[in-house]
Amino acid sequence: MVVAVLTSAASCSVTVGNGSSESPKPGAEGEAGSALAAVDELTVKGRAPKTGFDRARFGTAWADTDSNGCPTRDDILKRDLDDVKFSDGVCTVVSGTLTKDPYTGNEVTFRRGASKVDIDHVVALSDAWQKGAQQWDASKRIALANDPLNLLAVDAGPNRSKGDGDTATWLPPNKAYRCDYVAHQVGVKKKYELWVTAAERDAMRKVLADCPDRALPTGGNPTEAPSRFKAR
């Protein structure tokens, strides 16, 4: 896979809570191609009901949509871990080290079957469902669920506290990573034409106002999975 890899960034802090967040710093504007500028290109609408959401709507977990012979989960582990070891030499990751977890900044050990490492959907599938994905055909939902642009190996603890939170309701505890995290949420939502709520847009602007030149992440897989993949 060729992807835009998330990297550590300068500190970008924001207060997260329910409801609208404060406006960004006066005069903070993103240059063309920046994540901040892209925020204003996102459609703003209310959150749709969660009715009908099921993980199966996004296909079988970790489908090999890029046809490289490895499940998506293993592809992301290979990309994000150091000292990777395989059971078959090329694909099935059995151990490795997340040297600097993006969400906490800590080192986390991966051991298959007893792992403290999750593969997070940066834009949660339930959040996507409530902001446009329920209207898509199955191939686009499968593509989102397996797109490396939207996937990140992280510490399981904070990831599971995230749930289906968006920028307005959850940010990584590691403040130094927040600019990159939000930039990737913007990149995914722009690529897949997902909408944002007004509170979410304002929270995105607030975080990215501290890093207005942060480039909008791009790349990843096509937005349509091969026809052999099916979903409910």
Side-chain angles (χ1 to χ4, degrees):
M1 295 185 187
V2 177
V3 299
V5 178
L6 287 75
T7 57
S8 186
S11 178
C12 303
S13 62
V14 64
T15 300
V16 184
N18 296 322
S20 298
S21 55
E22 297 177 8
S23 298
K25 296 175 181 179
E29 296 181 1
E31 297 181 357
S34 70
L36 179 56
V39 172
D40 290 331
E41 299 173 12
L42 300 175
T43 299
V44 179
K45 294 173 64 174
R47 183 186 291 271
K50 193 174 178 179
T51 307
F53 171 75
D54 190 296
R55 176 61 177 83
R57 298 284 188 179
F58 294 80
T60 302
W62 313 128
D64 179 21
T65 56
D66 66 355
S67 304
N68 71 348
C70 297
T72 298
R73 182 172 182 268
D74 286 292
D75 285 330
I76 301 305
L77 290 170
K78 286 189 288 184
R79 185 193 71 185
D80 292 352
L81 300 182
D82 295 319
D83 302 320
V84 174
K85 292 182 174 56
F86 304 91
S87 64
D88 56 3
V90 294
C91 186
T92 305
V93 178
V94 294
S95 67
T97 302
L98 188 59
T99 303
K100 188 174 183 181
D101 167 48
Y103 290 176
T104 64
N106 299 329
E107 182 176 295
V108 185
T109 299
F110 172 78
R111 293 281 185 276
R112 199 173 195 93
S115 178
K116 297 180 181 179
V117 174
D118 282 352
I119 306 301
D120 182 34
H121 289 96
V122 178
V123 173
L125 301 184
S126 173
D127 182 58
W129 179 261
Q130 297 169 75
K131 296 172 182 173
Q134 61 183 274
Q135 301 169 7
W136 299 347
D137 60 27
S139 66
K140 189 172 181 180
R141 290 197 296 268
I142 294 167
L144 173 69
N146 294 281
D147 192 332
L149 184 67
N150 190 37
L151 297 172
L152 188 64
V154 298
D155 187 320
N159 179 51
R160 294 173 193 181
S161 73
K162 169 185 170 180
D164 62 1
D166 60 23
T167 301
T169 58
W170 190 89
L171 288 173
N174 179 16
K175 293 182 179 181
Y177 194 73
R178 289 179 177 179
C179 279
D180 281 319
Y181 176 77
V182 174
H184 270 260
Q185 285 209 333
V186 176
V188 171
K189 294 208 165 187
K190 179 176 172 60
K191 176 178 179 178
Y192 283 87
E193 299 178 315
L194 292 163
W195 71 72
V196 295
T197 65
E200 182 182 5
R201 175 204 59 198
D202 292 348
M204 286 173 163
R205 285 175 174 169
K206 184 175 176 62
V207 171
L208 295 172
D210 284 341
C211 46
D213 298 329
R214 190 58 47 82
L216 179 71
T218 59
N221 291 345
T223 58
E224 184 174 321
S227 60
R228 68 181 182 278
F229 294 99
K230 308 297 181 183
R232 283 177 43 192

